[in-house]
């Protein structure tokens, strides 16, 4: 197993509320590296990348434009050094940097696939967004749509191909972003489908899609995908989410699946968490499930079948 490298993505300026900027510090205080090492998993703290709030005068987009290449360099370096990046957000605009860096490192071998677990579609462009908040735009940017400074990190566009992206858990979105994903043919598993089929079946299909024709794949988890009863500490809570226990089960052993190139956990806002830190503790459990647990078999999951055959 590769060494887990935690990268702190300290940005909240991409959201309506700034509180996510302090998510990584909250998680650093929970002893993640020590806990993984005690369990026999090599782990280390990587860089902390902090958004330049002095750029806020020029707007939220300017802050994200400044932050993205710095985070991309960090995730690129971790992947290039053959470590397993775990990026701690931060608002979800950090995904542009995280996955641009990993895509750049994988590029000589092939494409990057991505599973996007989220209550929202995060697929606005500056033209369709009413709020103008960049944390509603990262998936569009990675697919090559939106602000050129965000789409063209490392000088190329289209870090993700539409057929190698799956969104799971969406239940709150606007027509403009949905139209973009429909036009591109991105597979979206809306919340009714997740409830009907179960998360295991959804993950199995998603893994099949992101493994097909890629050199590696990852998962970005927006904490707001999880039901607010289990994860109250988020800026944009949406009722009717996925139970935390189901997400924990679905992500168990993620890092040990063939081709897994990284994990990102975003949108923890410690100031909105409850008094017993339910959301932060859940984040710690999610990271431990990803990094420590053995890969569980999901019905029809080709990645698991591969692992068995090896
Ligand atoms: Mn999101």
């Amino acid at each position: 197993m590769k060494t887990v490298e935690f990268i702190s993505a300290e940005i909240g300026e991409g959201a309506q509320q700034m509180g996510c900027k302090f998510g990584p510090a909250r998680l650093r205080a929970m002893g993640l590296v020590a806990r993984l090492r005690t369990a026999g998993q090599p782990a280390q703290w990587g860089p902390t990348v902090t958004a330049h709030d002095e750029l806020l005068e020029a707007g939220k987009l300017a802050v994200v434009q400044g932050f993205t290449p710095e985070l991309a360099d960090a995730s690129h370096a971790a992947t290039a050094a053959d470590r397993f990046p775990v990026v701690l957000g931060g608002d979800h605009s950090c995904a542009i940097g995280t996955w641009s860096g990993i895509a750049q490192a994988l590029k000589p071998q092939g494409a990057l696939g991505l599973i996007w677990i989220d209550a929202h579609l995060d697929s606005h462009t500056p033209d369709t967004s009413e709020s103008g908040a960049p944390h509603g735009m990262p998936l569009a940017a990675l697919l090559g749509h939106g602000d050129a400074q965000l789409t063209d990190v490392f000088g190329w566009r289209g870090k993700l191909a539409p057929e190698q992206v799956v969104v799971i858990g969406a239940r709150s979105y606007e027509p403009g972003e949905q139209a973009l994903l429909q036009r591109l043919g991105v597979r979206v598993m809306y919340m009714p489908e997740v409830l009907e089929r179960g998360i295991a079946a959804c993950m199995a299909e998603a893994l099949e899609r992101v493994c097909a024709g890629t050199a590696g794949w990852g998962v970005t988890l927006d904490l707001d995908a999880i039901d607010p009863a289990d994860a109250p500490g988020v800026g944009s809570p949406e009722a009717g989410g996925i139970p935390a226990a189901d997400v924990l089960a679905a992500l168990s052993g993620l890092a040990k699946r063939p081709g897994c190139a990284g994990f990102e956990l975003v949108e923890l806002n410690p100031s909105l968490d409850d008094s017993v830190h339910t959301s932060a503790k859940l984040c710690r459990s999610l990271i431990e499930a990803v990094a420590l647990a053995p890969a569980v078999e999901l019905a029809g999951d080709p990645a698991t079948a591969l692992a068995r055959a090896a």
Side-chain angles (χ1 to χ4, degrees):
M1 178 59 197
K2 293 177 180 178
T3 296
V4 169
E5 177 173 324
F6 290 102
I7 297 170
S8 299
E10 295 187 332
I11 184 165
E13 289 85 349
Q16 323 272 36
Q17 305 176 66
M18 295 266 287
C20 291
K21 189 165 187 168
F22 308 102
R26 184 72 193 83
L27 294 175
R28 283 199 303 273
M30 301 189 84
L32 296 171
V33 161
R35 289 169 72 106
L36 294 195
R37 284 181 180 167
T38 300
Q41 168 60 51
Q44 66 186 52
W45 291 109
T48 293
V49 185
T50 305
H52 302 280
D53 49 13
E54 68 274 16
L55 291 172
L56 254 186
E57 214 171 308
K60 289 177 177 296
L61 194 58
V63 179
V64 177
Q65 287 167 337
F67 178 80
T68 295
E70 293 182 30
L71 180 60
D73 282 343
S75 63
H76 176 268
T79 304
D82 207 29
R83 291 188 290 268
F84 183 86
V86 173
V87 176
L88 309 173
D91 74 67
H92 217 164
S93 69
C94 69
I96 307 169
T98 296
W99 301 105
S100 291
I102 295 173
Q104 172 76 5
L106 288 180
K107 205 179 180 206
Q109 292 108 61
L112 169 71
L114 189 60
I115 301 175
W116 194 286
I117 307 177
D118 204 311
H120 308 94
L121 294 176
D122 291 359
S123 295
H124 275 296
T125 65
D127 293 334
T128 64
S129 172
E130 279 180 31
S131 71
H135 79 150
M137 306 178 188
L139 180 52
L142 288 164
L143 288 162
H145 297 267
D147 177 77
Q149 284 193 53
L150 302 182
T151 56
D152 292 11
V153 184
F154 297 116
W156 58 287
R157 187 174 298 192
K159 303 300 189 301
L160 300 171
E163 63 274 19
Q164 289 155 348
V165 174
V166 179
V167 180
I168 298 178
R171 55 192 184 275
S172 171
Y173 42 87
E174 281 90 46
E177 53 177 347
Q178 186 180 34
L180 175 67
L181 294 186
Q182 276 174 350
R183 180 162 65 79
L184 295 174
V186 171
R187 174 77 167 98
V188 180
M189 298 174 183
Y190 294 96
M191 204 55 214
E193 179 181 349
V194 177
L195 292 173
E196 188 187 317
R197 295 175 67 196
I199 188 77
C202 291
M203 270 301 282
E205 183 194 324
L207 285 166
E208 194 169 341
R209 286 175 181 267
V210 298
C211 286
T214 58
W217 54 274
V219 172
T220 184
L221 172 61
D222 189 319
L223 204 57
D224 69 25
I226 297 169
D227 197 88
D230 293 337
V234 298
S236 317
E238 303 288 349
I242 312 171
D246 290 5
V247 177
L248 281 163
L251 297 184
S252 269
L254 193 83
K256 296 191 173 68
R257 291 182 185 278
C260 188
F263 176 64
E264 181 180 53
L265 179 53
V266 304
E267 296 277 346
L268 169 67
N269 184 333
S271 66
L272 300 176
D273 208 355
D274 60 21
S275 59
V276 290
H277 312 299
T278 298
S279 313
K281 286 176 185 162
L282 173 60
C283 288
R284 181 173 66 191
S285 300
L286 287 161
I287 288 160
E288 290 180 336
V290 165
L292 295 179
V296 290
E297 186 163 354
L298 301 165
D301 169 9
T304 312
L306 264 177
R308 274 202 313 273

